[in-house]
Amino acid sequence: MRPPRERIVVKARAGWMGMGRGAGSTALGLFQILLVFLCIFPSVTSPCKILKCNSEFWAATSGSHHVGTEEAPEFCTALRAYAHCTRRTARTCRGDLAYHSAVHGIEDLMVQHNCSKDGPTSQPRLRTLPPGDSQERSDSPEICHYEKSFHRHSAAPNYTHCGLFGDPHLRTFTDTFQTCKVQGAWPLIDNNYLNVQVTNTPVLPGSAATATSKLTIIFKSFQECVDQKVYQAEMDELPAAFADGSKNGGDKHGANSLKITEKVSGQHIEIQAKYIGTTIVVRQVGRYLTFAVRMPEEVVNAVEDRDSQGLYLCLRGCPLNQQIDFQTIRSAQATEGRTRMKGPSLQVPPKAFTYETATAKCREKLPVEDLYFQSCVFDLLTTGDVNFMLAAYYAFEDVKMLHSNKDKLHLYERTRDLAPGNMAPSGMASALWVALLCLSQCWLCLL
């Protein structure tokens, strides 16, 4: 049996109290009194969400009275989550006694238990132990296998896919498809378990066409499964190992829940992170890199503050000012291609494609004229590099392997999502104004 864990409680006065071993019932009673008080006076708590933070921390640490040494990392994780929650509600909780008591209490407990302010704040929803399994080790192999954690106790996880390829084209976790500029370094994924960043550089000096020349993946240390690991790939260098030379998650009990496998030397690697149910595929096609991932929705959304993830490309897509209007450019490319065939030709690089030759070339590998086919045509026209056709082809092959919904493999309409604060398209704006006008007229009639 693991030693009992300490309970703590926010009291309805300034200050904080850590409850000792013999104070379990007292702590529970005080906590219940506080809940009743806050429910009786909802006006006190309606704008301030500190009660939600308190409840989440209580749920994460309830069950015993004492924090044992081997449980300290878990307790520190709960404390960090508690601290993040209080920071998110700080603006609406100014002057709230319970809020300030919680903030000071968290600081005290961080010091008492030697908790770092940096580190994980939550874990994926791992298996809830049924009655009788309370002695199962938290570092058992099953805890490091995401899919097994769902086997008997909840529904199977829902998987999503994100991919980046070519000049560059992005398919987000919500199946939004965009063509973007995004020159320089951009975060693809940034959640509690891993970070992925890409660097895109011009294909030719002075060219507007860019492609991924560098990729960095950071797997954060997780429980007894893996140590922190960094994977880096660059043009003409696709290693089959992490930056420290290892091929798995390190020395921890579940280290083999993170593995790198080389599929084709220097061209194709696959990373399996079973502890978070994630598969990553990185390829080098020609000189540039492609990226594809399969990840559970729960892990995708494991972010501290979703509203602050505006540049998390796989989740939110590219900013509007970085998106390229695919349909307009495609029409211009077709027109330009016909002009080249009929009239005086423009000065063109030796390996340039016309619209007709580009479509013919792309059909060799992509017979369905979906957005992957259209991306192929776009890239051949903007770069003149036939390797971009292969990048589109392999990107679609990765979709077939990684996407959980086989009915959504092909996408035919490019989507342009609205980010918070962005203006709606003019057609949508007109429709909204008409609706508002009608509502105002109805309101006047009622008056």
Side-chain angles (χ1 to χ4, degrees):
M1 293 293 288
R2 291 185 289 185
R5 183 184 299 162
E6 180 182 15
R7 278 184 179 171
I8 55 178
V9 58
V10 177
K11 300 185 75 175
R13 58 177 176 83
W16 181 269
M17 187 171 183
M19 308 307 292
R21 292 190 179 187
S25 58
T26 305
L28 182 59
L30 289 172
F31 189 77
Q32 290 172 336
I33 292 170
L34 177 62
L35 291 181
V36 171
F37 175 81
L38 294 173
C39 291
I40 292 174
F41 300 101
S43 60
V44 175
T45 61
S46 55
C48 178
K49 304 299 181 184
I50 190 62
L51 179 59
K52 179 176 181 292
C53 300
N54 294 344
S55 299
E56 288 176 352
F57 179 72
W58 178 267
T61 58
S62 62
S64 50
H65 308 313
H66 177 70
V67 180
T69 302
E70 59 184 22
E71 291 181 277
E74 183 182 349
F75 185 76
C76 290
T77 295
L79 269 179
R80 282 189 290 267
Y82 195 8
H84 278 288
C85 187
T86 59
R87 284 198 290 272
R88 286 197 298 270
T89 192
R91 183 177 300 175
T92 58
C93 289
R94 289 176 182 172
D96 186 278
L97 195 60
Y99 166 76
H100 290 287
S101 181
V103 169
H104 292 301
I106 291 168
E107 293 174 356
D108 292 342
L109 286 169
M110 284 280 193
V111 174
Q112 290 175 25
H113 298 285
N114 198 26
C115 297
S116 169
K117 291 184 178 180
D118 299 320
T121 58
S122 59
Q123 290 104 22
R125 187 183 67 244
L126 296 175
R127 180 168 66 91
T128 301
L129 295 178
D133 277 1
S134 58
Q135 295 186 16
E136 180 168 328
R137 288 168 55 89
S138 62
D139 63 345
S140 66
E142 186 167 335
I143 209 77
C144 298
H145 196 301
Y146 189 82
E147 291 181 354
K148 284 184 179 179
S149 70
F150 283 82
H151 180 56
R152 291 174 296 167
H153 304 286
S154 61
N158 185 33
Y159 288 94
T160 58
H161 163 74
C162 177
L164 186 77
F165 67 97
D167 174 22
H169 308 283
L170 173 71
R171 180 170 181 159
T172 72
F173 285 126
T174 57
D175 291 318
T176 296
F177 196 97
Q178 299 169 342
T179 298
C180 308
K181 303 172 189 175
V182 290
Q183 183 174 333
W186 291 80
L188 274 183
I189 298 173
D190 182 9
N191 61 37
N192 294 347
Y193 311 103
L194 77 163
N195 302 105
V196 181
Q197 179 173 287
V198 293
T199 301
N200 302 311
T201 54
V203 175
L204 297 169
S207 170
T210 62
T212 302
S213 58
K214 184 177 180 180
L215 172 74
T216 301
I217 307 172
I218 300 175
F219 295 90
K220 300 176 184 179
S221 177
F222 180 76
Q223 293 189 6
E224 291 302 312
C225 301
V226 298
D227 297 315
Q228 177 168 298
K229 292 290 177 175
V230 178
Y231 178 80
Q232 289 186 312
E234 299 185 41
M235 287 193 300
D236 303 319
E237 185 179 352
L238 188 71
F242 293 110
D244 62 2
S246 64
K247 292 193 174 186
N248 69 1
D251 299 324
K252 291 187 176 180
H253 184 79
N256 285 332
S257 61
L258 177 63
K259 277 187 175 182
I260 292 183
T261 304
E262 186 176 60
K263 298 293 186 178
V264 180
S265 178
Q267 297 180 31
H268 179 192
I269 65 103
E270 184 176 299
I271 303 176
Q272 290 281 350
K274 291 184 178 180
Y275 65 100
I276 51 173
T278 296
T279 301
I280 295 174
V281 174
V282 182
R283 298 177 186 267
Q284 177 163 312
V285 185
R287 298 181 63 220
Y288 299 101
L289 304 171
T290 70
F291 171 85
V293 62
R294 180 179 188 257
M295 183 179 289
E297 275 188 356
E298 185 175 34
V299 177
V300 167
N301 294 313
V303 294
E304 300 305 336
D305 185 356
R306 192 179 177 89
D307 292 337
S308 70
Q309 300 296 315
L311 295 180
Y312 174 168
L313 299 186
C314 276
L315 185 63
R316 292 293 185 87
C318 300
L320 284 178
N321 64 358
Q322 293 292 320
Q323 295 181 32
I324 296 172
D325 191 336
F326 199 104
Q327 304 297 339
T328 300
I329 290 182
R330 187 179 59 174
S331 300
Q333 289 168 339
T335 303
E336 184 180 344
R338 288 191 292 271
T339 301
R340 288 177 181 172
M341 297 292 288
K342 293 179 181 178
S345 59
L346 302 172
Q347 291 186 354
V348 178
K351 293 185 179 180
F353 288 84
T354 65
Y355 183 78
E356 286 75 11
T357 58
T359 54
K361 189 67 177 176
C362 290
R363 284 196 188 98
E364 293 177 9
K365 289 287 188 179
L366 298 161
V368 178
E369 294 192 12
D370 59 2
L371 287 173
Y372 289 89
F373 172 85
Q374 294 173 20
S375 299
C376 173
V377 174
F378 176 88
D379 289 354
L380 291 185
L381 289 169
T382 54
T383 68
D385 185 349
V386 72
N387 284 305
F388 281 81
M389 174 197 69
L390 295 175
Y393 167 72
Y394 286 123
F396 186 69
E397 290 298 300
D398 291 337
V399 171
K400 291 194 289 186
M401 178 181 75
L402 300 174
H403 205 292
S404 59
N405 188 340
K406 302 309 177 185
D407 295 329
K408 290 186 177 181
L409 300 183
H410 295 282
L411 296 176
Y412 295 93
E413 290 297 328
R414 177 184 172 277
T415 45
R416 190 181 178 98
D417 281 354
L418 291 176
N422 289 330
M423 294 296 291
S426 58
M428 179 64 74
S430 300
L432 287 172
W433 277 113
V434 170
L436 288 171
L437 182 61
C438 292
L439 286 171
S440 65
Q441 293 299 319
C442 291
W443 178 251
L444 288 174
C445 291
L446 290 172
L447 292 176

